[in-house]
Structures are given as structure tokens and as C-alpha cells.
Amino acid sequence: MKLGLCTGTYSDLPLDEVCKMAAEYGYETLEIETFVKDNLHMDVRTILDKDNIRRYKEKIREYGLEISSLGNHPESQLVMGPYGKDTDDIYSGTKEEKIKYGTEAVIRAAQIANEMEIPVVVGFTGCENFGRVCQWPDAKAWEREEEIFAERWGPILKKYEEYGVRYAHEPHPNQMVYDIETARRSVELFGGCRAWGFNFDPANMMMYGIDVEAFIDLLGDRIYGVHAKDAQIVEQNVGRSGLNPSGNYRRIDRGFRFRIPGWGNISWENVITELAMVGYFGSLNFEHEDITMSRLDGIRKTSAYLKPMLIGAPFEGRNDLNFRF
């Protein structure tokens, strides 16, 4: 396993500055976002021109780093929506224009990943109306949403298969896949397509009380990426606001907060153990969404806490007289 960094958290800083900081604190890999708007880390409109990819990869290697995955969370949201003002900051247009823009962005990320020899693109699926998970007032509404989901993402995944790249959806509220049941259902909807899998972020699933170790055990062969992000259930607030309250994340009275690893309720020893048991020895990419401390605090403290826990290789087994398996 390797400790990685999601550069999207530092998207306002030049790439060289982020790479220097990552290397200084012992990070080994990067997850680099491929969205267009305000992206200082990759110009996706020119990256495929001439010799740009070779120069880009050389720049990363100069810092002793490698790219574990590409990401596109904002634009991938547009494939399934929502399509109103909620997503105008990502791309402003009609519903049809947003779907087209999001679809092209996700496919472009696969093309870039193929050219850069990066195996995984991480992102979202979107969801036009997450309220349809509720049986009222239309018990069949979510089933119809699933049909549209398969229609829109099926052709995208075919392009991923052509490029030899896997798409790792990150289960999260306001997505078609947000828990264990919808994750397993999505595998069915896509006919077991191996280009479809998940970016495991335990903090996201804690908002719905999902057993994160069970997710690993049940869907381990579909985990293509991991985000190292913790979450805190704030005991003095949760009985009042619940786990997914509305309002600003900086509110002190929220019952749920994203935290850096080691400062929340996730048992990272258990998570890392289960990941090893299902054969995941890739990157754990730190994503800073902790509003209680600076990004510098987060990147420094996470490396010090998490890196010693990472497992380098699977158990070799024993063959002595007292212990054989």
C-alpha cells in the first residue's frame, strides 16, 4: 500500500507547490483532477497535444511521485444531474447540454488516463432527484431512475473498456450509488462490466450508518481506489441534527463532520486490514475536508498517523510443523 494525496483539495495552488509539499511529508502518489474550471494542475484541453504527457509525467517523477489515479468529481455529476442552478457553477446550460458536457468530460478523462498509463478514473455518477429513494409519493420512481442510469452510463463504460481504464465511482449522498445495496445493484445493472467499480471513501458512507468494513468484504473485488478520509459523529449534536444535516459544514452544532484520518470514528486498523484481506494494495489517497484545521495541518498529521499503518505486502503464509495453511 502507498500513501497518496488528492490534489483537488489544493487546486488553488500551482502543481509544483503541491508536489513539493506531498514529497516533503512522505506521500508517494497523487490523484489529479481533470475538470476544466479553475484547474491549475492539468489543462485537459492541451494535455494530449504533442509531447505534453511525457513532460507532465516527468515533472511528477522529479518529485519522486507517481500518479495513481485521475479524478473528475464535478463534471461527472452532470451525467445524471441535478440540472438546475445546483450545478450551474460546474457548467451552465440546459439539461441536455449539461449531460453532453459531463459525458464528454468523463470519457475524455479515460482517454487521458489511457495515454498516461493510469489505470483508474475516480468520480461521481450524479443523480437527478435523490429524493426518489423515498417510497413516497411514487414507489417506482427510483426504479425509473435506475433505468436512466444504465442507459447513460452503459455507453460511457464501453468507452472505458476500449481505453483499458476502470471507472471508480465514489459512493456518496446525491449519487445513484451511495451504500452497499445500491453498489451491488449497480454491478447488476451493468452486467458485471469490469470497467465499473468503486472508490472506497469510508467517511462518505458513515453519513448513512453504513458498515464500512462490510462494504470492503462484500465489494472488495470492485474497489479500484481508496480515499483516506475520516468522519466524526459528534455525540452532543447527532441526536438533534442527525448524520446528514443541512447548512454550512463550519456549523459547530452539526452532528457529523469530515475529519482527517485518526481524528474521527473510523478504525483505520480495521479498514486497512480488510483492504489487505481482499487484496487491495494500492494507494490510500488523503482528501482534506476537515474544517477544524488547516490543509497544512491535515497533510502533515495524516502522513504521521497513517503511513506507519500501511501494509506493504500480503502475508506469505507459514509452513512449519505447528502452523500450516
Side-chain angles (χ1 to χ4, degrees), residues 10-310:
Y10 305 86
S11 60
D12 57 318
L13 303 177
L15 180 60
D16 282 290
E17 189 172 335
V18 177
C19 289
K20 182 180 179 181
M21 185 167 51
E24 179 181 353
Y25 288 106
Y27 290 79
E28 301 166 272
T29 69
L30 302 175
E31 179 179 302
I32 297 177
E33 291 281 345
T34 62
F35 53 80
V36 171
K37 188 175 181 181
D38 299 327
N39 187 350
L40 298 182
H41 298 166
M42 180 182 289
D43 185 348
V44 298
R45 293 162 295 195
T46 62
I47 189 67
L48 294 173
D49 295 348
K50 299 179 181 178
D51 211 20
N52 288 349
I53 282 183
R54 180 187 61 79
R55 289 196 291 266
Y56 192 95
K57 292 175 72 173
E58 285 180 356
K59 175 194 285 286
I60 301 298
R61 282 196 294 266
E62 285 175 5
Y63 291 95
L65 301 167
E66 60 185 78
I67 304 171
S68 62
S69 52
L70 299 180
N72 196 322
H73 293 76
E75 294 167 343
S76 59
Q77 183 78 39
L78 298 176
V79 178
M80 286 295 293
Y83 306 110
K85 291 183 179 180
D86 313 61
T87 52
D88 277 353
D89 193 49
I90 301 170
Y91 180 79
S92 182
T94 65
K95 173 179 176 178
E96 290 72 24
E97 288 169 339
K98 288 186 176 185
I99 294 169
K100 182 175 184 291
Y101 183 86
T103 300
E104 290 176 350
V106 174
I107 292 173
R108 180 179 60 229
Q111 183 183 6
I112 296 170
N114 171 272
E115 293 290 333
M116 298 185 80
E117 299 179 296
I118 298 168
V120 175
V121 172
V122 177
F124 286 144
T125 61
C127 183
E128 183 168 4
N129 185 350
F130 194 56
R132 289 174 183 153
V133 298
C134 182
Q135 292 291 304
W136 172 259
D138 183 354
K140 298 290 185 180
W142 188 255
E143 291 179 23
R144 290 194 296 275
E145 194 91 353
E146 284 185 340
E147 292 173 6
I148 299 169
F149 175 44
E151 289 171 6
R152 290 221 189 114
W153 276 92
I156 294 173
L157 294 177
K158 287 188 183 299
K159 295 298 291 185
Y160 270 70
E161 287 181 313
E162 290 176 20
Y163 284 121
V165 177
R166 291 178 166 182
Y167 188 78
H169 165 67
E170 186 173 327
H172 188 281
N174 211 26
Q175 309 299 324
M176 291 299 302
V177 175
Y178 61 92
D179 64 3
I180 292 173
E181 291 183 349
T182 51
R184 298 179 86 175
R185 173 62 177 152
S186 69
V187 174
E188 295 175 359
L189 286 170
F190 296 126
C193 171
R194 295 305 307 182
W196 172 256
F198 308 106
N199 182 68
F200 173 73
D201 185 323
N204 294 340
M205 286 182 281
M206 279 185 65
M207 278 189 274
Y208 282 93
I210 306 304
D211 187 317
V212 296
E213 288 90 351
F215 187 98
I216 299 171
D217 291 351
L218 293 169
L219 291 150
D221 67 331
R222 294 277 172 168
I223 293 177
Y224 300 154
V226 173
H227 277 179
K229 189 173 77 192
D230 213 324
Q232 177 190 8
I233 297 172
V234 188
E235 293 184 7
Q236 71 270 23
N237 297 333
V238 69
R240 174 176 53 198
S241 75
L243 290 174
N244 197 12
S246 62
N248 195 303
Y249 269 92
R250 291 180 179 270
R251 278 174 41 194
I252 196 171
D253 58 348
R254 287 179 61 93
F256 181 92
R257 298 173 185 147
F258 286 133
R259 303 303 310 270
I260 67 166
W263 287 64
N265 298 120
I266 291 168
S267 169
W268 287 96
E269 294 93 339
N270 290 350
V271 165
I272 290 169
T273 296
E274 296 309 303
L275 287 170
M277 290 293 286
V278 299
Y280 183 88
F281 286 90
S283 291
L284 277 69
N285 295 318
F286 168 54
E287 184 179 32
H288 186 104
E289 294 183 1
D290 189 330
I291 53 84
T292 74
M293 66 181 72
S294 73
R295 293 179 297 176
L296 181 59
D297 278 317
I299 197 171
R300 179 170 53 84
K301 292 177 185 295
T302 293
S303 178
Y305 172 78
L306 205 54
K307 195 167 184 180
M309 292 188 188
L310 299 182

